[in-house]
């Protein structure tokens, strides 16, 4: 607290230079933020790296990788995850910093010295803006090279697999030029049962098919071959057919058949780790900066337009549509005039055409349409794949900006949120930070997938999370600067009670010191008046009956009698609350709180009542709610009458008031 007083005194001293005042305040705030930011950044980076490592755990374990290869893998991984860890670290550090200052009354001291919250956030803002530049620099300059290195290492690790894990029931193609199908395997002994092997190492025209009852796959000592031991099977090998053979006739294709009880096959498979060249993965969108992305997208758009135009011309030429495509508007009008001069009916032509010619024409048209449909499907898939590749580039281009901007947005969410919550430590701030980041992550990933699939505009999809965070940050900053209780739980509970019609029971207790004693005579007269008024109101208003829908919403009138009755009850309760009699206090606690307006109309303003009255489903729900309040008011008034009778009997006997 001494540090706070010195800081406040420094802010109030007029003879202190402005440079010293700003330096003292800024250094105090930055000292708290930077310590937390450094720790939060490395924690977030570690968590993201562990999550990324868990995805690759099956490819990393058991591959015989050296420490330098693993070091490169984790180094590249850490560099690529820096832009993702920065926003969460800023959010967590800002939330804890301002939460600690609020909990320790340091924010209160600064505001009491005349320093607004925006001025308190200024030094951290000056740090967050360079961090945005750091995030952009990593994404645009450092991360592309790291992505190349990480991609080459990941691909190299995948292709170096000493222990081949062959699944059951599917063809496994992880071995070059070999497909293996295993119906069942024993993981403990390594035996494979009912095995089918399809080898194409000598070419497709010399393909080999091996069927075996059981087999075992092992790695040789030099890790350059796989030894496949087979029992009780057959081998079929296709032989080259001469030029006179018919390749479409399977009986004319020669083959070799071998039956064996025991056989071993060596398959070339270099399982030693060999790192690929990083330039082989340079075409990935993640391995390009913004300038390269724009250049490559422009080139791909040019190629795509040329491809689509060539497809269009080829389709017209193949389907004999070239002449029709060259028609002008004048040619079309001339054809219409000729048809009007010499009209004919397609149905008459079909009737006059022989059935055999008609059937042949239909088959020819069907085959032509199928061919055209297949061509269009293939061309459409080709164009769509190119468009998908272009969208991947634009996603990376936008993400370099939005992820950098998220650092600033998370600061404007975390700092005011910490000032509002006023809870420090790692408990509540960590939970709130993770919840906010998950919401941001879900929105960002969902919209990004829609943009990648082409179902959502690219700009909207990539900037949707920013559009959500920006208003939230502005609102929280505005409310925190006004010292608003945005997260006051009691206020929300009170609002919920009003909406649901819930109420709390009176909790009156005997006071130790009574300044003004109750006027029992006046209170006795008021109780008699209240009892008579409550009895008369229940008889006249017929609260058990359903209220009129039109009268509730379109003829809004205040219930002045109930307002007066409620005020009288509270006046009596307030005066008798100063009594020393425990019997009177017990009866006062049983008097219900009367809502004077809940049974008449849902809203005070007429336009709201008219709006909800016209919207019948919502109006019907409010009508049922009002009927419920009328029934409760009927019960409350009966309870008020009983409590008044008991209080009258107690007040009539002075011995009960001691």
């Amino acid at each position: 607290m001494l540090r706070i007083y010195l800081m406040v005194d420094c802010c109030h001293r007029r003879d202190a230079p402005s440079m010293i005042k700003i330096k003292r305040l800024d250094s105090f705030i930055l000292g708290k933020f930077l310590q937390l930011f450094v720790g939060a950044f490395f924690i977030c980076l570690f968590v993201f790296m562990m999550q990324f490592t868990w995805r690759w755990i099956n490819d990393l374990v058991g591959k015989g990788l050296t420490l330098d290869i693993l070091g490169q893998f984790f180094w590249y991984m850490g560099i690529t995850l820096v832009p993702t860890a920065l926003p969460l670290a800023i959010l967590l550090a800002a939330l804890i910093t301002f939460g600690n200052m609020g909990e320790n009354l340091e924010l209160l001291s600064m505001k009491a010295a005349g320093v607004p919250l925006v001025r308190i956030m200024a030094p951290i803002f000056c740090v967050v803006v360079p961090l945005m530049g750091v995030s952009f620099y990593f994404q645009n300059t450092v991360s592309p090279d790291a992505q190349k290195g990480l991609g080459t290492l990941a691909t190299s690790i995948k292709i170096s697999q000493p222990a081949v894990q062959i699944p059951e029931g599917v063809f496994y193609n992880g071995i070059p030029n070999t497909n293996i199908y295993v119906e069942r395997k024993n993981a403990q002994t390594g035996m494979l049962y009912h095995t089918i092997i399809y080898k194409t190492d000598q070419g497709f025209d010399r393909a080999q098919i091996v069927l075996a009852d059981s087999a075992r796959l092992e790695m040789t000592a030099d890790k350059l071959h796989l030894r496949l031991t087979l029992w009780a099977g057959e081998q079929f090998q296709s032989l080259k057919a001469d030029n006179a053979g018919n390749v479409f006739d399977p009986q004319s294709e020669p083959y070799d058949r071998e039956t064996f009880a025991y056989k071993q096959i060596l398959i070339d498979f270099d399982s030693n780790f060999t790192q690929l060249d990083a330039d082989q993965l340079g075409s990935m969108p993640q391995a390009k900066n913004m300038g390269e992305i724009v250049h490559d997208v422009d080139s791909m758009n040019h190629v795509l337009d040329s491809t689509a135009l060539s497809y269009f011309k080829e389709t017209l030429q193949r389907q004999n549509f070239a002449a029709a495509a060259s028609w002008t508007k004048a040619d079309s009008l001339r054809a219409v005039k000729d048809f009007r001069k010499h009209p004919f009916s397609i149905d008459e032509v079909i009737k006059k055409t022989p059935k055999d010619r008609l059937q042949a024409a239909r088959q020819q048209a069907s085959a032509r349409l199928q061919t055209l449909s297949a061509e269009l499907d293939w061309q459409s898939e080709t164009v769509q794949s190119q468009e998908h590749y272009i969208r991947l580039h634009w996603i990376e281009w936008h993400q370099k900006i939005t992820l950098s901007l998220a650092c600033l947005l998370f600061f404007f969410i975390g700092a005011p949120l910490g000032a509002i919550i006023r809870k420090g430590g790692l408990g509540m701030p960590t939970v709130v930070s993770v919840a906010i980041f998950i919401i941001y992550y879900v929105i960002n990933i969902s919209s990004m997938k829609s943009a990648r699939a082409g179902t959502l505009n690219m700009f909207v999809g990539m900037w949707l999370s920013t559009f959500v965070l920006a208003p939230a940050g502005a609102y929280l900053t505005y409310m925190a600067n006004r010292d608003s209780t945005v997260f006051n739980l009691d206020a929300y509970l009170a609002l919920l009670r009003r909406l649901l019609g819930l109420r709390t029971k009176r909790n009156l207790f005997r006071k130790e010191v009574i300044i003004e004693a109750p006027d029992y005579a006046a209170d006795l007269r008021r109780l008699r008046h209240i009892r008579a008024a409550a009895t008369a109101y229940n008889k006249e208003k017929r609260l058990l009956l359903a209220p009129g829908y039109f009268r509730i919403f379109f003829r809004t009138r205040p219930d002045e009698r109930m307002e007066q009755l409620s005020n009288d009850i509270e006046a009596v309760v307030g005066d008798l609350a100063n009594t020393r009699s425990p019997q009177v206090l017990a009866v006062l606690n049983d008097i219900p709180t009367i809502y004077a307006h809940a049974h008449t109309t849902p809203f005070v303003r007429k336009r709201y009542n008219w709006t909800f009255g016209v919207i019948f489903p919502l109006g019907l729900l409010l009508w049922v709610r009002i009927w419920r309040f009328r029934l409760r008011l009927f019960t409350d008034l009966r309870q008020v009458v009983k409590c008044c009778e008991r209080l009258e009997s107690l007040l009539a006997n002075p011995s009960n008031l001691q």
Side-chain angles (χ1 to χ4, degrees):
M1 295 302 294
L2 179 61
R3 179 173 51 182
I4 301 173
Y5 295 146
L6 290 175
M7 180 182 60
V8 174
D9 180 68
C10 180
C11 294
H12 276 94
R13 285 168 53 189
R14 297 182 180 180
D15 56 343
S18 59
M19 292 293 292
I20 297 177
K21 181 178 66 175
I22 295 176
K23 182 179 179 181
R24 185 73 66 88
L25 179 63
D26 294 348
S27 61
F28 173 75
I29 298 173
L30 288 177
K32 284 179 166 292
F33 174 77
L34 292 178
Q35 292 178 1
L36 292 170
F37 171 73
V38 173
F41 171 73
F42 284 106
I43 290 175
C44 295
L45 184 62
F46 176 78
V47 171
F48 285 123
M49 289 182 65
M50 288 300 98
Q51 186 266 344
F52 191 87
T53 305
W54 188 256
R55 292 168 49 190
W56 286 84
I57 192 67
N58 292 330
D59 295 322
L60 294 175
V61 176
K63 301 301 185 293
L65 304 177
T66 59
L67 292 179
D68 59 336
I69 298 300
L70 290 176
Q72 292 182 34
F73 182 82
F74 285 104
W75 170 255
Y76 290 140
M77 181 202 308
I79 292 178
T80 56
L81 292 176
V82 165
T84 307
L86 273 176
L88 183 57
I90 292 174
L91 173 64
L92 184 59
L95 193 58
I96 296 177
T97 300
F98 282 83
N100 287 335
M101 290 193 296
E103 189 175 13
N104 298 331
L105 302 180
E106 294 170 346
L107 281 179
L108 182 61
S109 301
M110 297 178 193
K111 293 179 181 179
V115 183
L117 180 64
V118 178
R119 173 62 184 84
I120 300 172
M121 295 168 56
I124 304 180
F125 173 79
C126 295
V127 174
V128 172
V129 172
L131 289 177
M132 291 175 54
V134 172
S135 176
F136 180 79
Y137 175 77
F138 265 84
Q139 294 182 83
N140 195 50
T141 305
V142 181
S143 183
D145 295 334
Q147 288 285 356
K148 291 180 184 178
L150 182 62
T152 54
L153 281 177
T155 306
S156 303
I157 290 172
K158 279 188 174 182
I159 64 177
S160 61
Q161 301 181 3
V164 180
Q165 300 295 331
I166 301 177
E168 296 180 351
V170 295
F171 276 95
Y172 176 75
N173 58 356
I175 303 175
N177 301 321
T178 304
N179 288 340
I180 299 180
Y181 175 87
V182 176
E183 182 176 334
R184 182 174 58 88
K185 68 178 183 178
N186 191 330
Q188 297 179 353
T189 61
M191 293 296 296
L192 310 176
Y193 299 98
H194 303 289
T195 306
I196 302 176
I197 303 168
Y198 183 75
K199 294 182 58 181
T200 58
D201 53 343
Q202 300 180 16
F204 288 97
D205 53 352
R206 301 279 294 179
Q208 300 177 7
I209 300 176
V210 182
L211 307 178
D213 180 72
S214 58
R216 177 182 291 171
L217 188 63
E218 299 172 318
M219 181 66 62
T220 58
D222 56 2
K223 294 186 178 181
L224 296 177
H225 299 84
L226 288 174
R227 181 187 299 110
L228 186 61
T229 306
L230 306 171
W231 290 275
E234 292 181 318
Q235 176 177 332
F236 302 87
Q237 181 175 359
S238 176
L239 303 177
K240 286 187 177 181
D242 52 8
N243 296 331
N246 185 6
V247 296
F248 296 100
D249 185 7
Q251 296 182 355
S252 64
E253 181 72 19
Y255 65 93
D256 180 34
R257 178 178 179 180
E258 176 188 357
T259 302
F260 58 87
Y262 175 82
K263 185 179 181 66
Q264 283 189 347
I265 300 176
L266 288 179
I267 303 174
D268 294 334
F269 188 81
D270 187 1
S271 62
N272 294 307
F273 182 83
T274 303
Q275 186 170 346
L276 300 177
D277 187 7
D279 294 334
Q280 297 180 8
L281 301 178
S283 61
M284 296 190 309
Q286 298 86 351
K288 301 176 183 178
N289 56 34
M290 295 182 67
E292 293 174 346
I293 289 176
V294 173
H295 179 269
D296 292 347
V297 167
D298 184 69
S299 302
M300 287 185 288
N301 281 326
H302 179 72
V303 173
L304 182 61
D305 294 339
S306 303
T307 303
L309 183 60
S310 63
Y311 284 162
F312 176 72
K313 292 181 179 179
E314 291 177 2
T315 302
L316 292 180
Q317 186 175 3
R318 290 180 181 179
Q319 303 300 329
N320 298 325
F321 291 155
S326 62
W327 281 13
T328 62
K329 183 177 181 180
D331 296 332
S332 301
L333 294 176
R334 189 182 305 109
V336 172
K337 291 181 180 179
D338 294 341
F339 176 76
R340 291 177 178 176
K341 291 180 180 179
H342 306 285
F344 65 93
S345 175
I346 298 297
D347 296 335
E348 294 180 359
V349 175
I350 293 176
K351 291 180 180 178
K352 295 178 181 179
T353 305
K355 293 184 178 180
D356 53 347
R357 292 184 57 188
L358 185 62
Q359 184 68 20
R362 288 176 176 173
Q363 293 178 354
Q364 183 180 2
S366 177
R368 186 176 178 182
L369 289 176
Q370 291 179 358
T371 303
L372 179 61
S373 177
E375 290 182 2
L376 293 178
D377 290 340
W378 178 78
Q379 295 172 1
S380 176
E381 291 179 359
T382 304
V383 172
Q384 287 178 0
S385 63
Q386 294 178 358
E387 291 179 346
H388 178 74
Y389 194 56
I390 292 175
R391 288 196 295 269
L392 292 179
H393 281 72
W394 280 124
I395 286 174
E396 291 298 324
W397 189 89
H398 285 281
Q399 195 169 12
K400 295 179 189 302
I401 303 176
T402 56
L403 198 57
S404 302
L405 190 60
C407 298
L408 184 63
L409 296 178
F410 277 144
F411 165 69
F412 279 105
I413 290 177
L417 199 59
I420 293 172
I421 296 177
R422 299 175 184 175
K423 293 290 184 182
L426 292 175
M428 179 64 69
T430 304
V431 174
V432 175
S433 301
V434 172
I436 294 174
F437 189 81
I438 289 176
I439 294 174
Y440 164 78
Y441 184 80
V442 170
I443 296 175
N444 186 45
I445 292 298
S446 302
S447 58
M448 184 181 66
K449 286 184 177 180
S450 300
R452 183 174 58 193
T455 58
L456 189 64
N457 181 269
M458 180 61 64
F459 180 80
V460 175
M462 294 306 300
W463 287 81
L464 183 60
S465 57
T466 304
F467 296 154
V468 174
L469 288 182
Y475 174 75
L476 290 174
T477 304
Y478 172 75
M479 299 302 290
N481 195 43
R482 295 181 57 191
D483 293 331
S484 176
T485 56
V486 180
F487 293 96
N488 189 352
L489 184 59
D490 295 334
Y492 290 109
L493 290 177
L495 178 61
L496 183 63
R497 291 192 190 99
R498 288 198 300 269
L499 292 176
L500 300 179
L502 304 177
R503 57 186 177 185
T504 57
K505 189 177 179 181
R506 299 181 189 272
N507 188 19
L508 301 177
F509 53 90
R510 185 174 179 177
K511 300 178 180 179
E512 296 292 336
V513 179
I514 298 176
I515 299 177
E516 185 177 356
D519 188 354
Y520 294 112
D523 292 337
L524 184 59
R525 291 192 298 269
R526 291 177 184 176
L527 290 172
R528 292 171 181 171
H529 173 72
I530 291 173
R531 177 167 55 84
T535 304
Y537 190 93
N538 259 347
K539 291 181 179 179
E540 295 176 8
K541 295 298 183 178
R542 296 184 295 179
L543 297 175
L544 295 179
L545 299 179
Y549 186 89
F550 186 83
R551 180 180 59 81
I552 288 175
F553 291 99
F554 303 104
R555 291 182 180 178
T556 304
R557 295 178 181 177
D559 194 345
E560 297 179 355
R561 290 179 59 185
M562 185 50 58
E563 292 179 5
Q564 184 62 40
L565 182 58
S566 177
N567 293 334
D568 294 341
I569 293 173
E570 295 302 323
V572 171
V573 172
D575 188 60
L576 292 177
N578 295 323
T579 183
R580 293 185 177 276
S581 174
Q583 295 87 350
V584 174
L585 292 175
V587 178
L588 291 178
N589 286 327
D590 293 336
I591 297 178
T593 303
I594 302 298
Y595 291 93
H597 304 283
H599 66 288
T600 57
T601 179
F603 303 100
V604 178
R605 297 186 179 182
K606 293 183 179 180
R607 56 182 179 182
Y608 294 158
N609 294 326
W610 280 64
T611 302
F612 281 88
V614 172
I615 305 175
F616 181 73
L618 295 178
L620 183 61
L621 294 176
L622 293 176
W623 177 81
V624 173
R625 179 177 179 271
I626 290 174
W627 191 7
R628 174 176 172 270
F629 273 102
R630 286 171 61 90
L631 297 176
R632 196 176 74 176
L633 180 60
F634 176 79
T635 306
D636 290 345
L637 290 178
R638 295 180 63 181
Q639 179 69 16
V640 167
V641 171
K642 293 180 180 179
C643 292
C644 289
E645 292 176 351
R646 293 166 58 189
L647 287 174
E648 289 174 15
S649 63
L650 291 173
L651 297 181
N653 189 359
S655 61
N656 297 326
L657 305 178
Q658 301 298 325

